[in-house]
């Protein structure tokens, strides 16, 4: 138990550092290598394309980072409950959270009572619940779009700079092992190997975020949380799926799709004190 919690706390510290490192590397590669190489000395015919690609990248990155900040700024913790519950030896939640009644959880990593807890996100370092679920979903959407867009630009950069053809689907599958071998043979530089590694990082993060986003939207539409699924609780939501989505995304959801702004009124916490199982 102690070793498991130690690993989770370590992951809670390493994951945000990994996220910011990948973000800085993406910025440097985009403006330092991709754009100057793909659009060298753009004339009037290419100036519009350069501006469009730059604006699109900044828009995606701004929304990804903006919703990341909003997820942390509006935590799902309860402001009315500060007492730390004692987890009994027979508690079934022995990993990272202790279940309380009324849909509350005590997160052992955050050390706070969380309202309608869905899960603990290691990349943001806090729990996802009723107050920040919308920002977390939008963070996943824009992170996925940013990574997949960077992947496309990275492939274009390799095609222009190193004349690598990706017409054969096997080219991408064999790119990493071949590049690693060429690097140790001294044929390619460390920068080229790093770029190839980033292609796979972008692909992995992009697909994971896209899949995770679809799962979260489905749970929200059903009025359910990931914690409830883990506990085997089937929620019979009295509200239709449209009302459940509106409860999370708010009435100004269209504005929330293009800007990381608050679209849901933050109500007060439930004043009824929870009881332990």
């Amino acid at each position: 138990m102690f070793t498991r919690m130690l690993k989770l706390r370590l992951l809670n510290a390493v994951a945000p550092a990994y996220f910011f490192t990948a973000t800085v590397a993406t910025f440097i590669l985009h403006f330092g290598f991709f754009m100057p190489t793909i659009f060298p000395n753009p004339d009037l015919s290419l100036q519009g394309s350069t501006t469009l690609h730059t604006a699109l990248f900044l828009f995606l990155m701004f929304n990804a980072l903006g919703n990341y900040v909003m997820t942390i700024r509006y935590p799902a913790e309860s402001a009315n409950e500060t007492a730390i519950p004692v987890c009994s030896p027979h508690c079934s939640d022995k990993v990272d959270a202790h279940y309380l009644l009324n849909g509350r959880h005590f997160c052992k990593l955050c050390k706070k009572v969380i309202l309608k807890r869905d899960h603990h996100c290691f990349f943001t370092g806090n729990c996802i619940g009723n107050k920040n679920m919308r920002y977390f979903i939008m963070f996943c959407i824009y992170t996925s779009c940013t990574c997949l867009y960077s992947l496309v630009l990275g492939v274009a950069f390799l095609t222009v700079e190193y004349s690598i053809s990706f017409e054969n689907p096997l080219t991408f599958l064999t790119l990493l092992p071949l590049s690693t071998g060429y690097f140790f043979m001294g044929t390619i530089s460390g920068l080229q190997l790093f770029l190839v590694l980033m292609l796979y990082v972008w692909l992995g993060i992009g697909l994971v975020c896209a899949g995770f986003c679809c799962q979260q939207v489905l749970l929200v539409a059903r009025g359910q949380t990931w914690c409830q699924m883990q506990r085997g609780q089937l929620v019979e939501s009295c509200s239709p799926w449209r009302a459940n989505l509106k409860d999370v995304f708010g009435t100004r959801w269209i504005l929330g799709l293009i800007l990381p702004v608050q679209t849901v009124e933050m109500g007060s916490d439930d004043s009824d004190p929870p009881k332990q199982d």
Side-chain angles (χ1 to χ4, degrees):
M1 177 64 180
F2 175 77
T3 305
R4 182 78 177 268
M5 285 300 299
L6 183 62
K7 292 179 180 179
L8 293 177
R9 294 186 185 278
L10 180 62
L11 181 61
N12 202 44
V14 172
Y18 169 79
F19 172 76
F20 283 110
T21 301
T23 301
V24 172
T26 302
F27 262 107
I28 295 176
L29 289 174
H30 182 90
F31 292 105
F33 297 93
F34 294 168
M35 299 306 296
T37 301
I38 299 175
F39 303 102
N41 300 321
D43 52 20
L44 294 178
S45 61
L46 295 178
Q47 188 174 4
S49 298
T50 305
T51 304
L52 178 62
H53 281 282
T54 302
L56 179 58
F57 175 79
L58 291 177
F59 171 77
L60 295 176
M61 187 65 75
F62 170 76
N63 276 277
L65 294 178
N67 283 285
Y68 179 87
V69 173
M70 296 291 279
T71 303
I72 300 175
R73 182 180 178 182
Y74 294 99
E77 65 191 61
S78 173
N80 298 333
E81 302 171 36
T82 57
I84 299 178
V86 178
C87 186
S88 65
H90 304 289
C91 177
S92 59
D93 306 315
K94 294 184 178 181
V95 182
D96 64 337
H98 174 70
Y99 176 69
L100 308 175
L101 292 181
N102 303 324
R104 291 169 168 82
H105 286 77
F106 174 75
C107 179
K108 299 176 184 179
L109 294 175
C110 299
K111 294 184 178 180
K112 297 177 181 178
V113 176
I114 309 299
L115 302 175
K116 297 181 181 179
R117 183 181 186 269
D118 187 86
H119 68 283
H120 184 92
C121 178
F122 293 100
F123 287 100
T124 61
N126 65 346
C127 279
I128 307 301
N130 66 327
K131 294 182 180 180
N132 55 3
M133 175 60 73
R134 189 202 78 80
Y135 308 114
F136 175 75
I137 292 177
M138 297 308 300
F139 163 68
C140 290
I141 291 176
Y142 279 103
T143 299
S144 177
C145 292
T146 303
C147 289
L148 296 179
Y149 178 68
S150 300
L151 173 64
V152 173
L153 288 182
V155 169
F157 173 80
L158 291 178
T159 302
V160 174
E161 183 71 9
Y162 302 107
S163 300
I164 300 178
S165 176
F166 288 88
E167 294 182 358
N168 189 344
L170 294 178
T171 300
F172 189 85
L173 297 177
T174 59
L175 186 61
L176 181 59
L178 290 178
S179 299
T180 305
Y182 290 149
F183 171 75
F184 286 105
M185 293 172 56
T187 306
I188 64 175
S189 63
L191 177 61
Q192 293 173 263
L193 179 61
F194 176 74
L195 175 58
V196 172
L197 288 174
M198 286 302 298
L199 293 182
Y200 288 87
V201 169
W202 289 326
L203 177 63
I205 296 179
L207 294 180
V208 169
C209 286
F212 201 69
C213 174
C214 294
Q215 171 189 277
Q216 293 302 120
V217 172
L218 179 61
L219 289 176
V220 169
R222 295 171 57 184
Q224 196 172 17
T225 65
W226 179 250
C227 282
Q228 291 172 336
M229 287 190 60
Q230 287 184 316
R231 292 177 59 85
Q233 295 179 342
L234 297 178
V235 177
E236 295 182 1
S237 179
C238 298
S239 304
W241 64 272
R242 292 180 182 271
N244 292 331
L245 292 177
K246 182 180 178 180
D247 183 57
V248 172
F249 291 93
T251 56
R252 300 180 299 166
W253 60 272
I254 297 181
L255 179 62
L257 289 178
I258 59 177
L259 290 175
V261 295
Q262 183 176 343
T263 59
V264 181
E265 294 294 333
M266 294 298 176
S268 59
D269 295 337
D270 188 6
S271 58
D272 295 335
K275 300 178 183 180
Q276 291 188 11
D277 285 340

